Structure formats: structure tokens, C-alpha cells
């Protein structure tokens, strides 16, 4: 049952990301909330799951993939300043990278599996859901940090221009 919940949560978050990609959002501490949620769920699933300890390398690789895509999304996002507040919204190029990433994740990432103990079904709903959890955890952390750093740079630049 928890495997299904993991997959549903991952799909829901991806659907949330796609539908809200172009929505203007303020850059503040709240952008770390998705990361915290995914970190807690990922840790809980890691402790609870029987086979995860044998696939640490493969899941760690997914966190790094998520970090890379989060940085890219943070760099591609449009930042605007209104009344000394920074807002972000997604771009078409950022959405294109997300759409390209889907087949890469499905087709390429399984080549990089490292299974120490064996006996893990890489096509199981639980493993696929867990890999998505790890990717989203890295993604939301890196995107939030990238946007915070860009916000500071833009505010400094805007302040110097005044």
C-alpha cells in the first residue's frame, strides 16, 4: 500500500509542478517547503523499506540528478522585483527541459543502477516511486537555493541601479 502512496505522491507533485510552472510566486522561505516534505518522506521510506540499503548508490545518483535539474530550473526561471519583493515564474525553456527529462529518467537512469544485494525489482512501483522521491528531493532543494541566491544578486543589482 505504501508503494502506491509513494507513486501517487510523486505523480501529484509532478502534476503540481507542471500546472504551477508559469505561476508567479514570491521567493521567500516558503520555497523550501516542498524540499522538507520530500526529505521527510524519503527518510521515512528509506528507514521503512527492506531493500533500500542495497541501492544507496543508485538512489544517491538520483538525488544528484535532481540537484542538477533544480539548479537548471532555478537559473532558467524569470525573476522580477515588485516593491522590493522578488517573484519567480517558469519559462518555456525550463518546461522543455522538464519534458525532455522524463524519457531520460525512464530510459537512461536505469543504466546507472548499482545493486549490491540483488533481488530488487527495478521495475516495481515501489522502486520507481522511491527514485522519483529522491529526484524531487534534490530538485526542490537545489531550485530553492538557486532562486534565493539569484534573488540576492538581483536585489543588489536593482539597489545599485536606484
Amino acid at each position: 500500500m505504501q508503494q502506491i502512496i509513494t507513486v501517487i505522491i510523486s505523480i501529484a507533485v509532478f502534476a503540481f509542478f507542471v500546472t504551477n510552472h508559469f505561476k508567479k510566486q514570491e521567493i521567500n522561505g516558503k520555497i523550501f517547503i516542498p524540499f522538507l516534505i520530500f526529505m521527510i518522506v524519503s527518510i521515512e521510506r528509506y528507514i521503512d523499506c527492506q531493500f533500500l540499503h542495497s541501492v544507496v548508490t543508485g538512489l544517491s545518483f538520483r538525488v544528484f540528478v535532481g540537484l542538477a535539474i533544480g539548479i537548471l530550473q532555478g537559473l532558467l526561471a524569470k525573476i522580477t522585483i515588485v516593491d522590493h519583493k522578488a517573484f519567480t515564474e517558469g519559462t518555456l525553456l525550463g518546461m522543455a527541459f522538464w519534458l525532455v527529462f522524463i524519457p531520460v529518467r525512464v530510459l537512461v537512469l536505469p543504466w546507472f543502477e548499482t545493486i549490491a544485494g540483488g533481488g530488487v525489482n527495478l521495475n516495481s512501483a515501489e522502486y520507481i516511486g522511491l527514485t522519483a522521491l529522491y529526484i524531487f528531493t534534490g530538485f526542490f532543494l537545489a531550485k530553492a537555493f538557486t532562486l534565493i541566491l539569484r534573488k540576492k544578486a538581483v536585489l543588489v543589482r536593482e539597489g545599485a541601479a536606484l
Side-chain angles (χ1 to χ4, degrees):
M1 181 64 172
Q2 285 189 342
Q3 302 95 320
I4 295 170
I5 292 171
T6 301
V7 171
I8 290 171
I9 290 171
S10 297
I11 291 170
V13 169
F14 184 74
F16 172 79
F17 172 78
V18 171
T19 58
N20 289 302
H21 181 73
F22 298 107
K23 181 180 171 186
K24 187 178 273 193
Q25 301 171 11
E26 185 175 0
I27 302 172
N28 56 27
K30 291 179 182 179
I31 63 174
F32 286 100
I33 291 173
F35 159 71
L36 292 173
I37 291 169
F38 271 89
M39 182 186 69
I40 290 167
V41 173
S42 295
I43 290 170
E44 184 273 330
R45 294 302 302 140
Y46 183 81
I47 292 169
D48 191 43
C49 190
Q50 299 296 322
F51 68 79
L52 277 183
H53 301 289
S54 67
V55 292
V56 170
T57 305
L59 293 175
S60 298
F61 181 71
R62 279 155 173 75
V63 170
F64 289 119
V65 168
L67 289 170
I69 293 184
I71 291 169
L72 181 65
Q73 285 290 324
L75 293 173
L76 292 174
K78 179 181 173 187
I79 294 181
T80 55
I81 305 295
V82 178
D83 296 331
H84 302 290
K85 291 183 180 181
F87 294 89
T88 183
E89 57 187 306
T91 61
L92 286 173
L93 185 58
M95 182 59 71
F97 274 109
W98 257 112
L99 295 175
V100 166
F101 175 68
I102 294 169
V104 168
R105 186 233 165 289
V106 171
L107 300 173
V108 176
L109 288 181
W111 293 352
F112 294 99
E113 287 307 322
T114 302
I115 306 298
V120 176
N121 179 2
L122 299 179
N123 295 317
S124 71
E126 182 175 24
Y127 188 72
I128 292 169
L130 287 168
T131 61
L133 275 175
Y134 279 74
I135 289 170
F136 282 129
T137 300
F139 168 78
F140 284 118
L141 175 64
K143 183 177 180 185
F145 269 119
T146 303
L147 288 172
I148 293 288
L149 292 174
R150 286 190 61 211
K151 169 188 171 181
K152 289 180 181 180
V154 169
L155 287 174
V156 167
R157 191 170 50 243
E158 290 285 322
L162 296 176

